[in-house]
Amino acid sequence: DIQMTQSPSFLSASVGERVTLSCKASQNINKYLDWYQQKLGEAPKLLIYNTNNLHTGIPSRFSGSGSGTDYTLTISSLQPEDVATYFCLQRNSWLTFGSGTKLEIK
Amino acid sequence: QVTLKESGPGILQPSQTLSLTCTFSGFSLSTYGMGVGWIRQPSGKGLEWLANIWWDDDKYYNPSLKNRLTISKDTSNNQAFLKITNVDTADTATYYCARMTEGIGENWGQGVMVTVSS
């Protein structure tokens, strides 16, 4: 089984700040890494697929990068509506999620 | 416009079989490359991918739950189904279905809450 470790578990940042969330796989996942945003009481929403491809309708302040075992989601300028929990998902071998990063506004 | 909606029993007792239905619109499960996945999330916790079914009736299951899961589809009526046998309290969760294109879970339903309790 591929384990996905997200860090930090909790992040508090100011509006306008650049925010970086990390996801580390227990083995090479060949860039089969997606990011989801889940707001309170809602279903997860796809933000980025295959490491760095922005899903339709997602603001350009979201971006993804990485390779091998290490992946990053960056929000270039944090907005109030970005308050949510962010999950990474690897699809290289079955599908396993990270445990999430809860993002709040400072 | 793609929409998915999950339905289920709400509450059931330990050892029973959980039957879930995903009713969707805006796409067809007979289209090449299309799939539907099932995912669950216990309250306040993380996500677990359970099973996928594809346009060609290929099926894939979470290895840790494989013996208890059965996924199926009714292409004519735009529905996908998931059965989980021998449930216990650990199966209490919100269950989601998602449209999958090229292996990516693009669109999700709103989820349905299922409680296992005696």
Side-chain angles (χ1 to χ4, degrees), chain B residues 19-95:
Chain B
S19 295
L20 298 166
T21 300
C22 176
T23 303
F24 53 84
S25 63
F27 68 98
S28 173
L29 251 182
S30 61
T31 300
Y32 179 89
M34 201 67 66
V36 167
W38 284 95
I39 308 97
R40 71 180 178 181
Q41 184 176 36
S43 180
K45 297 188 178 180
L47 296 153
E48 180 178 36
W49 206 290
L50 301 175
N52 296 333
I53 190 165
W54 297 98
W55 83 102
D56 59 358
D57 211 37
D58 238 356
K59 301 163 187 173
Y60 293 89
Y61 296 102
N62 186 318
S64 66
L65 294 164
K66 184 174 183 177
N67 292 339
R68 299 175 55 213
L69 302 178
T70 303
I71 193 169
S72 60
K73 62 182 172 70
D74 179 348
T75 302
S76 300
N77 289 306
N78 287 342
Q79 292 181 316
F81 311 97
L82 183 70
K83 290 188 187 296
I84 306 177
T85 60
N86 193 26
V87 298
D88 68 13
T89 55
D91 297 307
T92 294
T94 296
Y95 286 78

Side-chain angles (χ1 to χ4, degrees), chain A residues 16-101:
Chain A
E17 188 174 339
R18 182 181 182 89
V19 169
T20 300
L21 283 61
S22 295
C23 186
K24 186 174 181 67
S26 57
Q27 62 191 74
N28 182 8
I29 55 171
N30 297 300
K31 295 194 173 185
Y32 289 107
L33 190 285
D34 307 328
W35 289 95
Y36 287 85
Q37 176 193 65
Q38 186 176 32
K39 296 184 178 180
L40 195 62
E42 298 183 5
K45 181 172 79 170
L46 178 66
L47 297 177
I48 288 174
Y49 61 95
N50 292 341
T51 296
N52 56 9
N53 294 277
L54 202 63
H55 186 49
T56 305
I58 301 302
S60 59
R61 64 179 179 273
F62 292 92
S63 64
S65 63
S67 64
T69 61
D70 295 305
Y71 298 84
T72 298
L73 173 69
T74 299
I75 308 173
S76 61
S77 177
L78 186 65
Q79 300 302 304
E81 60 266 33
D82 300 335
V83 169
T85 299
Y86 292 82
F87 294 96
C88 61
L89 170 68
Q90 71 79 21
R91 293 183 289 107
N92 186 69
S93 175
W94 184 234
L95 300 98
T96 50
F97 290 93
S99 56
T101 293

